[in-house]
Amino acid sequence: MLTKAQVRTAVREYIDDPGAKTWSDAALDILISMTQDNLWGDILDTASYWNSFYQLITSASYHAPGYLDLRPTGDGGDLTNRLYRIQKFIANGREFYPKDSRDFLLNAASSVGLTTVTAPIEQNYTYEILGDQLWFHPLGTTANPGFIELRYSYRPAAFTSIADGTTVGFVDGCEHALVLTAAANAMHRGDEEDPGKFLSLAFEARQRLFATIRRKYHGPTVPFSVSNPIEMGSI
Amino acid sequence: MKQLLSEARFDFRGGRVTSISPDLLNSNELVDATNCRIDSKYGAVTKRTGCQRLHQTAAPAAIKGVVQWDGPSGKQLVKIANGHLYYRNGFTLATAFTDEGTNVFSTTVPAFFMPFRDATSGAPLVLFIASGGKLFKWTGTVLTDITGTTTAADRIIAYHTRAFARNVNYKKTIFWGKVGDATVFTTGTKTDGGSALVNVLNGEEIIALEVIGSSLLMAAEDSVMRFTGHATDDIVISQDTEGISSEVGAVGPQALKRFENVAAMLNERGPYVVTETAVEPIGEQVLPDFDALDTTVLSSSVVGWNRGRKELMFCVPGSGDGSLNKTIYSQSVRLQAWQGPWNYSFGITCGARYEDTNGDEFWITGGSDGFLRHMDIGAKDDVLYDGSGGSNITMVAELPPLHFGRPGSQKVLSHIKLQAILPVGNNLTAGVAFDNAAFDNGYFVNATTDGILRDYRVDLNGYGYRLRTKFTDSSAVSPTIYGLRVNAYDMGRP
């Protein structure tokens, strides 16, 4: 686990800019932050539940006529973390499913932002994501549940928003992928220098990262095998 | 990937040049050399040396004259201040100067000194002093006013075994004394004293006297005359258009100074060198600097000669010097290159050659604050007599703008590879600025400062077209820059 300062210093060493004359700390932090988010997208596409968070939302926290603000609370939303993908939505104990986007005609009421709905014209027990908002049906205060349970994958706190001494949210032991990819991006500045070798190294580190996140156990065992798969080199 | 461009500077022997567009300067010249000196190892540039007070207690008033001469007890320092003569034998700075006691010297105009033998052949060396219309003889311990038997001198100089003087009441006439006897100026035979009116055509008074080769130079405001000959039957005074110059003269009594076999002179048109036949301008590289001086007090300028360094010193009143000579423009005579301005906190009123206890040659000055100072010692200014105190000197060396061979094309900086001696405690900065932006200091990577010539990497930042590079140090030590290579990428953008 590396701290923010350690990651930044490692990137500086790779790009040979110890005095911050090419990249200021602020600019480099933004670059590392973008790189971190990109890699987290790859991580969560490969291992959907690597960062999965369960959040209970009470009726007081969602919005009439029936939607959640998917932004983090720090940005004025309802979520504790930075949403990547919704994994499960349960309202009042009933699981909702993503609305079929082909039901666009029935979508009209919520799409135009009606706040009073007298007839349940939407397909019940579905949700749809409109920008930063997650609308769930049926709408209306009488149909609103008392509580919502949400599970979603998320990106950790942005690199730019944490303190120098705070541990960077990343796959433990695989920070090299973050450092090298950020270094390769930094070398691109102004198309001055060739980032090719850094890209090669970053690719290797990224492959190791994926190998790490695919599974956390050693794999299936084979009955009556003379040895376990690890020893046979199959993992 | 962009092309890496590189431009090197390993020679600063051209010195300061301000009279030519910075973009037109030669690669070995400097836009600014404030408090810099072209190093004794030619090619490098370093901080000028500092100065140290030669005694503990200030004289009661500004020093009006100083000389080191070979007195009866060896080297003796003599200074004139507040109407008094003060003297000290030897080289011990802790020893106080002795006040001769009488109040007879001018407190307003400079005193001039002439070591000369006494009245008879084989007599010991004595010091003659002209001060505001009086001529004195100083034996090293006894002061005698000899104005009555000589002339009301305010200038004195030895030439061809005679003393030559300007009379304060007859400033267009040169007076001379008896051969081998500076105490007698009375006329008579051709070996006795005499006088001659000079500068007849334009009528300007004699300003300064100096001797070079076989000639006595007499500088007026706008001319330099030549006096040659031993006696009345062979004396020739070449003046006006027949003289050395009918165009330029000396701005003040201390603005004409012999060095080696010629003389340096300050004219309101800049510095010149005077030979026995002609004058030559020597300050064309820095004329704007001389043009910017405080001309209202330019006549108090002092031209000095640091014999050990082989450097000319033009102590002049800068525009911000409060009517004092707080600024020196120095010329390295061997390179004929300029250094400076050298900025001081005190005014310089006079100067003299100085030989230290080891026989090494230097230059000392008298100050408006009553102190004598060794002007070529250490790395701090105005150090006290005991070596304590003093103030740091800030050097600034700015290179001509770099275009990397591609003016008009945008460059992005990478780094400098600097070859320099950086002593412990230095705070040298390498500032870069594109297109008149503010200077941004580079970052010394893994800088070891140990006073050894090393290679340093200085990381830079910035985009632009025309790069200015400036080295600054304000520490108590003296860094030396031997050369550098600046690296940048060509962005390929117009």
Side-chain angles (χ1 to χ4, degrees), chain B residues 44-385:
Chain B
V45 63
T46 186
K47 186 184 289 186
R48 70 165 169 85
T49 43
C51 56
Q52 182 179 4
R53 297 178 183 179
L54 291 176
H55 47 98
Q56 182 177 10
T57 307
I63 308 290
K64 288 299 174 185
V66 59
V67 70
Q68 183 193 40
W69 72 296
D70 292 309
S73 303
K75 292 289 182 189
Q76 184 183 65
L77 267 179
V78 172
K79 64 179 179 181
I80 306 296
N82 200 35
H84 289 239
L85 181 149
Y86 301 84
Y87 64 98
R88 181 178 70 195
N89 295 320
F91 304 93
T92 305
L93 304 191
T95 302
F97 274 74
T98 302
D99 183 355
E100 183 277 332
T102 54
N103 184 2
V104 291
F105 293 91
S106 170
T107 57
T108 56
V109 298
F112 292 87
F113 303 89
M114 181 187 71
F116 205 77
R117 76 177 192 192
D118 208 347
T120 57
S121 178
L125 205 61
V126 293
L127 187 66
F128 290 86
I129 307 168
S131 172
K134 291 182 179 177
L135 189 58
F136 302 92
K137 186 176 78 173
W138 169 249
T139 65
T141 52
V142 177
L143 183 70
T144 310
D145 186 343
I146 58 171
T147 309
T149 60
T150 55
T151 187
D154 62 353
R155 311 277 194 277
I156 188 77
I157 195 165
Y159 168 71
H160 272 176
T161 70
R162 292 182 193 264
F164 282 74
R166 187 185 85 158
N167 186 301
V168 72
N169 301 311
Y170 304 98
K171 295 178 180 176
K172 299 168 189 172
T173 301
I174 184 74
F175 291 82
W176 57 86
K178 185 179 178 181
V179 170
D181 186 354
T183 62
V184 176
F185 273 54
T186 51
T187 57
T189 68
K190 66 180 184 180
T191 60
D192 287 324
S195 65
L197 186 65
V198 299
N199 220 14
V200 176
L201 293 185
N202 66 23
E204 288 180 341
E205 65 186 53
I206 297 168
I207 299 284
L209 301 173
E210 187 55 279
V211 171
I212 58 171
S214 59
S215 301
L216 167 65
L217 306 181
M218 297 175 290
E221 183 182 358
D222 291 319
S223 68
V224 180
M225 297 154 280
R226 179 179 59 245
F227 183 109
T228 56
H230 294 75
T232 51
D233 55 359
D234 68 348
I235 284 175
V236 176
I237 300 176
S238 303
Q239 53 191 319
D240 301 310
T241 55
E242 292 179 326
I244 294 172
S245 173
S246 58
E247 190 73 16
V248 293
V251 295
Q254 300 184 94
L256 183 64
K257 178 65 183 175
R258 184 178 71 240
F259 70 101
E260 302 195 326
N261 56 351
V262 292
M265 181 175 74
L266 181 62
N267 180 258
E268 73 272 9
R269 289 163 52 172
Y272 285 79
V273 67
V274 186
T275 69
E276 289 185 84
T277 57
V279 296
E280 291 287 340
I282 58 171
E284 295 304 294
Q285 302 101 309
V286 287
L287 270 190
D289 297 320
F290 281 92
D291 287 343
L293 298 178
D294 182 355
T295 54
T296 61
V297 287
L298 197 59
S299 61
S300 64
S301 298
V302 177
V303 178
W305 167 237
N306 186 335
R307 197 163 176 267
R309 290 274 186 187
K310 298 179 279 293
E311 289 174 339
L312 282 174
M313 305 289 175
F314 288 82
C315 311
V316 290
S319 59
D321 287 356
S323 300
L324 298 173
N325 298 323
K326 292 183 176 180
T327 303
I328 291 180
Y329 286 98
S330 168
Q331 194 208 41
S332 172
V333 166
R334 289 288 178 274
L335 297 174
Q336 296 188 13
W338 287 87
Q339 317 166 112
W342 295 355
N343 303 314
Y344 295 89
S345 60
F346 50 87
I348 295 169
T349 54
C350 52
R353 171 181 172 179
Y354 180 72
E355 192 176 300
D356 72 4
T357 186
N358 300 316
D360 293 328
E361 292 273 357
F362 297 99
W363 185 61
I364 60 174
T365 63
S368 57
D369 57 357
F371 280 106
L372 296 181
R373 290 179 177 87
H374 188 311
M375 295 297 286
D376 189 6
I377 187 168
K380 296 172 78 175
D381 262 348
D382 203 16
V383 172
L384 303 186
Y385 78 102

Side-chain angles (χ1 to χ4, degrees), chain B residues 387-404:
Chain B
S388 65
S391 56
N392 291 0
I393 302 167
T394 299
M395 66 170 272
V396 179
E398 182 176 343
L399 277 55
L402 303 179
H403 293 275
F404 299 94

Side-chain angles (χ1 to χ4, degrees), chain A residues 16 19 21 190-193, chain B residues 1-2 440-441 443 457 461:
Chain A
D16 198 13
K21 297 307 295 184
D191 192 26
E192 295 159 13
E193 296 173 286
Chain B
M1 183 176 172
K2 303 299 186 186
D440 178 49
N441 291 333
Y443 174 79
R457 190 184 108 189
N461 187 27

